[in-house]
Structures are given as C-alpha cells and as structure tokens.
Amino acid sequence: MDHKRQIYRNRRVALLKHMRATTGGGLALIPTAPEVARNRDSHFPYRHDSYFYYVSGFPEPEAVVALVAAEDGDRHLLFCREKNPEREVWDGFRYGPDAAREVFGFDAAHPLGEMDSVLADLCCDRPALYTPLGLLPAWDRKVTDLINEVRGRARTGVAPPEHIVDVRQSLDAMRLVKDAHEQALMRRAAGISSAAHRRAMATTRPGWFEYQVEAELAHEFLRSGAQAVAYPSIVAGGPNACVLHYRDNSRQLQDGELLLIDAGCEYQGYASDITRTFPVNGRFSAPQKDVYELVLAAQAACIAAIQPGGEFHDYHRAAERVLAQGFIDLGLCQGTLDEVLESGSYKQFYMHRAGHWLGMDVHDAGLYQTRGESIRLSPGMVLTVEPGAYIRPADNVPEAFWNIGVRIEDDLLVTVSGSENLTQATPRTVAAVEEACRRD
Ligand code: GLY
Ligand code: MN
Ligand code: MN
C-alpha cells in the first residue's frame, strides 16, 4: 500500500481504536462539506471538510466515510459519486467507487445512492454512533432519519446506537498533534507564504492600492502550487492596521504609513498564517520603530515561553507582560506593571490572544483548556505566535503614535527541545524588514 494511502488508513485505524476504548466500538460516519452556490450556476471554490479529509485524503464533494468497529473486525467504507462520463466532460474527473476504494485504501466503496440503505443496516445494534453533530443541518437531519429508521425496525429485534458521540471531539485530539506527513506539508505552506510576504515587501510602493499588494501575495501563492488562501488576506495600510480583521483591501497607501499584512496560503489542505508589518516607503519612522521593537520583544518572549510540557496559556501571559511594560515606557499606559495588568488598561492597545492552533484549519481543531486546566504543549503541536499593538487616535494617546498598528505573526512547531519556527524565512527584525523593502 503506498505511503500516502497508509497515512490516511492509519488515522482511521487510530479512530477505530479510540472508539473501541471509549464505547466498546460502534459506527463512525464522517461526511465531507457540501458545495456552496455563489450565484446561479457558479459555486464557491470547493473546499473539503477537514475532519473528512483527515481520515480519507479524498478530495471530492458528496462523500461520506463510514467506519465500523465490531466484534468481527474493523471495516473502512467510503460512499462517493459514481463515475459519470457526461458530467466529467463539464466538471472534470471523478474517481467513482472502484478507483476511490483502491486509491484511498478503503475495504469497500459504494455509490452515494446506496448509502441510506447500507447505513441503516450498519447502524443496527452498535454501542455508539460517532458523527459530527450540529455542523451541517442536512447531515443532522440524515442522522436523525437514520436513527428513526433503525428504531422503526425494533420489532425485528434490532436497536439503534446506545450513544451518539460528536466524532469531532475524538478527532480533535488526534489533529492537535501533527504527524511527519502533516509537518512536511505545513513547512511547505509556511515556505510559500514567507516568499509571498517577501514579495510584498519588495514590490509595495507609496501610491499602490492595498488590493495591488493582495494580488502580489496571490501571485506568489498560486505560482508556488498552493491551492488557495487559508483565509482572506488582510492588507491593511495606515489606520486600517488597527482593524483586526480588516477585509476591504481598498485603501491607497501613503508615504510614511505602515502596512500590516496578515496572509497565508493553504497547501494540500494545510494552512499557514503569517503577519508582517512594514513601512510603505521602506523606512520606519522613530515612533513606528519604537512600537515595532516592542511587539518584536513581546514575540521573542512568547517564543521563549513555548516549551514542551508548558501550558498553552504561558505565551499569552508573556506577551501581556512585555507589551504592558512597553506601553508604560512609551507613555501610553499609566501606573506600575502590576497595576496595568490588573486593571487591563493595556487592552486599549492589545486586545486579542497571542495565538492559536494551526493545521488544516487556520484556527485549528483542539481544545485550549479542559476542566479549567490549560492544555500542555507537546512535540508535534503547531501554533501561531502573534502579539500586536494597535494605537487608535484617542485623547490619552500622544499624536505621534496615532494609527500605528503592528502585528508580527509566525507559525511554530513544538519540538522536544522548544520550537521550530516554520516561517523563519520571513524578514522580522527592523534591519531585515528594511533590507527586504529596499528600492534599488
Ligand atoms: N489570520 C487570522 C489570525 O491570525 O488569527
Ligand atoms: Mn493567526
Ligand atoms: Mn494571521
């Protein structure tokens, strides 16, 4: 069995093992995402469901993975579209059940049209049904119909599953720790996105519009083999840098402003997530540099706080301390460090968390805390480190700092000894950023 097919099969085996350990086995049903119409006959670019893809590697819409953990052994089943020569002329290749079974390592594959009757049989007398709950209304409906169908057969001597479990909780824990295959894909995604940020620094000029910079990013993503953006690119000049999820990308960039770019590609199903902030004219002003150096120091403190065995929340606390002290030193916050942390006055300028899990989804699967306890970091977890400072015009703020917004975001893989910065190739220090912006 080829390497890639074995990777997805191994994940299904791990899920089946988990099902046996927690409920004595059962049936898992994992549907992929539906296609979504954009207007009339046009659809949004198709994106599979991450959970489905994690256990299948199968890229087509209209498909469901079914896994059975039973006394007579495990079974890996796929339901998918049939081959359709006429539709394939219009929309392109479809695997069809036979090729899909072979290529993706399933024991059997069936046309989607057979799913309802096969599933009703599969669902009888299982200790548990593992499936996403509350994710897709049409799927929720199918699941309740399925259970009712089995319930309706009670007089034939069968019973519906005793437990219904949200399979996402089981898969979240697996997805949180990235295997070697995932780490390699994330390194590639990170590398492409780093190149895109370098391209943006090298090309941006005063007078450009934010959307022109967005086009440079998209160019680099697509020419390097990325399939999509992992999230809509934020290209935020001047005051827009203080809007955390700015999306318009329509401003004309002015000489003397900063440009904040939060952009990352998706490569073979895996996200990257990088933010850099640089001067539109290539040189930081003194107040811009002060704020930039502060955020950079906060990020260094965060990275030092990322250690296997440590709490996830440690690096957010590190960011808060460095930023709060810096805001005091710049005259933006008043009081001692403890007073500023206690009152939360620093949140006028830093109001988000220092990062999140990263993987197939940009805000990836996985809990941050269970029963009041922070998750502890372990090798293979990937997270972003993204402190920032956002200084909007206000009466209590010296005018020299108005509209300075800075965020510096990298993607880190937790290792046995600390972390590996997957986005290291993106210029980060003041000197490196100014060098990358050189206009000659
Ligand atoms: N790009 C989204 C985020 O940084 O969380
Ligand atoms: Mn992020
Ligand atoms: Mn980001």
Side-chain angles (χ1 to χ4, degrees):
M1 192 174 280
D2 88 5
H3 174 63
K4 202 168 161 190
R5 191 160 37 146
Q6 192 64 51
I7 287 165
Y8 295 106
R9 189 163 175 105
N10 287 348
R11 293 180 190 157
R12 297 194 293 269
V13 168
L15 176 60
L16 286 159
K17 190 170 164 205
H18 167 83
M19 291 160 60
R20 287 185 185 283
T22 48
T23 54
L27 170 68
L29 297 177
I30 306 168
T32 196
E35 291 184 287
V36 181
R38 187 174 188 277
N39 58 57
R40 288 187 186 262
D41 296 331
S42 288
H43 288 79
F44 285 104
Y46 181 67
R47 170 55 156 76
H48 52 256
D49 173 79
S50 297
Y51 292 100
F52 171 88
Y53 194 80
Y54 183 74
V55 295
S56 70
F58 188 65
E60 294 180 13
E62 299 188 273
V64 176
V65 165
L67 303 175
V68 186
E71 278 161 15
D72 57 353
D74 292 347
R75 260 178 302 156
H76 302 221
L77 309 177
L78 178 71
F79 297 90
C80 64
R81 300 182 302 195
E82 291 192 84
K83 293 286 292 173
N84 183 331
E86 193 190 338
R87 281 310 327 162
E88 290 180 53
V89 167
W90 289 88
D91 301 327
F93 174 78
R94 300 176 174 196
Y95 280 94
D98 291 342
R101 178 184 53 73
E102 177 65 22
V103 172
F104 298 93
F106 286 87
D107 300 324
H110 303 278
L112 202 61
E114 294 174 13
M115 186 171 78
D116 290 354
S117 61
V118 176
L119 286 191
D121 292 342
L122 282 179
C123 212
C124 296
D125 292 328
R126 302 291 175 200
L129 172 62
Y130 289 76
T131 198
L133 298 168
L135 178 66
L136 301 166
W139 181 254
D140 289 345
R141 186 65 202 257
K142 189 169 270 306
V143 169
T144 49
D145 287 351
L146 181 63
I147 290 165
N148 284 337
E149 161 80 20
V150 179
R151 210 182 291 281
R153 299 183 190 179
R155 272 170 288 156
T156 67
V158 295
E162 289 164 39
H163 303 283
I164 301 192
V165 183
D166 193 328
V167 72
R168 289 177 295 175
Q169 278 165 26
S170 312
L171 290 171
D172 281 352
M174 291 169 59
R175 284 179 55 187
L176 191 48
V177 178
K178 276 68 182 171
D179 60 32
H181 175 70
E182 295 182 289
Q183 290 177 23
L185 293 178
M186 292 191 75
R187 256 185 218 103
R188 179 75 186 126
I192 294 171
S193 295
S194 286
H197 280 263
R198 293 196 302 270
R199 184 184 181 94
M201 289 177 191
T203 53
T204 299
R205 300 282 181 275
W208 273 38
F209 286 84
E210 292 164 340
Y211 54 76
Q212 293 177 283
V213 185
E214 183 182 5
E216 296 294 327
L217 297 163
H219 174 92
E220 197 66 36
F221 291 162
L222 296 180
R223 73 184 280 276
S224 306
Q227 288 73 35
V229 287
Y231 54 91
S233 299
I234 297 169
V235 182
N240 295 333
C242 297
V243 179
L244 297 181
H245 288 166
Y246 174 72
R247 284 189 199 92
D248 282 355
N249 295 356
S250 58
R251 178 184 170 83
Q252 190 171 29
L253 301 170
Q254 308 298 314
D255 198 347
E257 299 183 332
L258 290 178
L259 177 62
L260 182 155
I261 298 178
D262 184 344
C265 69
E266 180 175 295
Y267 179 75
Q268 293 192 16
Y270 284 83
S272 51
D273 184 6
I274 302 178
T275 307
R276 285 296 184 269
T277 310
F278 62 88
V280 167
N281 65 13
R283 304 287 297 180
F284 286 96
S285 71
Q288 288 169 350
K289 191 167 163 180
D290 286 344
V291 177
Y292 190 91
E293 296 276 23
L294 170 59
V295 176
L296 193 60
Q299 205 211 29
C302 289
I303 292 173
I306 293 171
Q307 296 293 334
E311 294 189 356
F312 175 84
H313 295 312
D314 283 349
Y315 78 97
H316 179 66
R317 294 184 195 113
E320 284 174 322
R321 290 189 75 79
V322 173
L323 289 170
Q325 183 61 56
F327 295 148
I328 295 166
D329 297 343
L330 292 175
L332 295 168
C333 287
Q334 275 68 46
T336 64
L337 176 59
D338 285 344
E339 285 165 355
V340 168
L341 288 170
E342 174 70 23
S343 70
S345 61
Y346 68 92
K347 291 181 183 168
Q348 180 178 354
F349 311 111
Y350 173 58
M351 61 298 279
H352 59 75
R353 304 290 298 177
H356 50 83
W357 303 128
L358 183 73
M360 297 182 119
D361 302 337
V362 63
H363 289 183
D364 203 36
L367 295 173
Y368 293 89
Q369 194 163 311
T370 46
R371 299 192 181 86
E373 297 270 313
S374 174
I375 295 287
R376 293 200 173 264
L377 300 180
S378 58
M381 294 177 173
V382 180
L383 43 78
T384 67
V385 182
E386 49 179 304
Y390 313 92
I391 309 173
R392 289 165 173 270
D395 290 344
N396 65 339
V397 172
E399 203 168 330
F401 292 110
W402 285 9
N403 294 321
I404 294 180
V406 173
R407 180 163 64 254
I408 306 172
E409 176 175 27
D410 284 279
D411 303 344
L412 271 79
L413 167 67
V414 181
T415 63
V416 286
S417 57
S419 62
E420 173 191 339
N421 188 343
L422 303 178
T423 46
Q424 183 69 39
T426 327
R428 194 157 43 142
T429 62
V430 163
V433 168
E434 290 190 343
E435 176 63 23
C437 293
R438 259 190 33 196
R439 280 84 171 102
D440 47 35

